[in-house]
Structures are given as C-alpha cells and as structure tokens.
C-alpha cells in the first residue's frame, strides 16, 4: 500500500510559477510510474503529466506541454510538478498518483494509488 501526500498548491496570479511536491511512503517508490492529474469543479479528472519509473520518459497533456515539467527523485521518494506561466484555466485540484504496472499511462483508472490533492488557483 502506497500513501501519497501532495503539497505546494496555492493562490497565484496568471504568469506565476508553482512547484507541486508529492511524497510517497509505504512502498518501493522506484517500482511505480507516477502521474499528475487535475480536477476542476464540475469537470472530470484529467491527465496532466506522467513519468516512468526511472524518470527518463515523460508525457504531457497538450494543454500544459512546454509550461509544466514533471520530475522525480527516487532517493527521496518524491515526484514533482514544476508549473510555469500559469493560466486561470490551470485552476484545479491537483492529484499525484502511482501506477504499479509502470505503464506511464494517461488514463485515470490505470493508477492504483492517489493522494488527497492540493489546490491550485490562478487569478487573472
């Protein structure tokens, strides 16, 4: 059983940057592909970015490509999401997720463990 705890969200202005962190415990972190998803009020949870077990391969949604960067530190059991040039449409609750199959999927149901999320609000 893997526990995930996100942090780093907040209220920022358009154009600002934030770095989200996700701390993992209770499992062998390097065995999991990791993903970030987000959910805005009234909308479905959507894929943001994912990273392979080794950290070599990454994948991004079109809406964040070029602005967000996912990276991980397997020695510290953490995964991060660096978000630059934030836009009001990035406002959502951001969730960290772990995929035991290591498939680096964009699909919500492929992920086995989820954190509680951290809120990101971007004002215009």
């Amino acid at each position: 059983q893997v526990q995930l705890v996100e942090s780093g969200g907040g209220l920022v202005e358009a154009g600002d940057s934030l770095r989200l962190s996700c701390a993992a415990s209770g499992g062998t972190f390097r065995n999991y592909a990791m993903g970030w998803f987000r959910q805005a009020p009234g909308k479905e949870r959507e894929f943001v970015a994912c990273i392979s077990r080794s950290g070599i391969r990454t994948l991004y949604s079109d809406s964040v490509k070029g602005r967000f960067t996912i990276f991980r530190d397997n020695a510290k059991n953490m995964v991060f999401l660096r978000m630059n040039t934030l836009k009001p449409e990035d406002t959502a609750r951001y969730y960290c997720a772990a995929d035991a199959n290591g498939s680096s999927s964009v699909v919500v149901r492929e992920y086995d463990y989820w954190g509680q999320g951290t809120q990101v609000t971007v004002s215009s």
Side-chain angles (χ1 to χ4, degrees):
Q1 188 80 5
V2 175
Q3 291 81 45
L4 303 171
V5 179
E6 303 93 335
S7 61
L11 172 63
V12 297
E13 295 183 349
D16 285 351
S17 298
L18 277 176
R19 190 184 80 166
L20 304 184
S21 301
C22 173
S25 61
T28 304
F29 182 69
R30 65 180 180 273
N31 289 347
Y32 295 87
M34 300 297 296
W36 284 97
F37 292 75
R38 66 188 182 186
Q39 189 167 16
K43 295 187 177 181
E44 293 188 354
R45 192 167 298 189
E46 66 173 4
F47 169 77
V48 175
C50 64
I51 189 167
S52 63
R53 292 164 169 166
S54 65
I56 293 176
R57 295 188 306 275
T58 58
L59 186 64
Y60 299 92
S61 69
D62 288 342
S63 61
V64 307
K65 195 175 299 181
R67 299 188 297 122
F68 290 13
T69 303
I70 186 172
F71 57 102
R72 65 190 294 164
D73 186 337
N74 284 347
K76 296 183 178 180
N77 293 351
M78 296 192 72
V79 62
F80 305 91
L81 185 69
R82 178 68 180 178
M83 306 186 294
N84 293 331
T85 319
L86 282 161
K87 303 175 181 180
E89 51 263 45
D90 294 318
T91 294
R93 191 163 187 85
Y94 284 71
Y95 297 88
C96 169
D99 175 9
N101 289 326
S103 60
S104 300
S105 174
V106 304
V107 179
V108 170
R109 65 176 181 271
E110 295 292 327
Y111 287 79
D112 303 285
Y113 304 101
W114 293 83
Q116 293 300 306
T118 185
Q119 178 68 34
V120 172
T121 303
V122 184
S123 64
S124 57

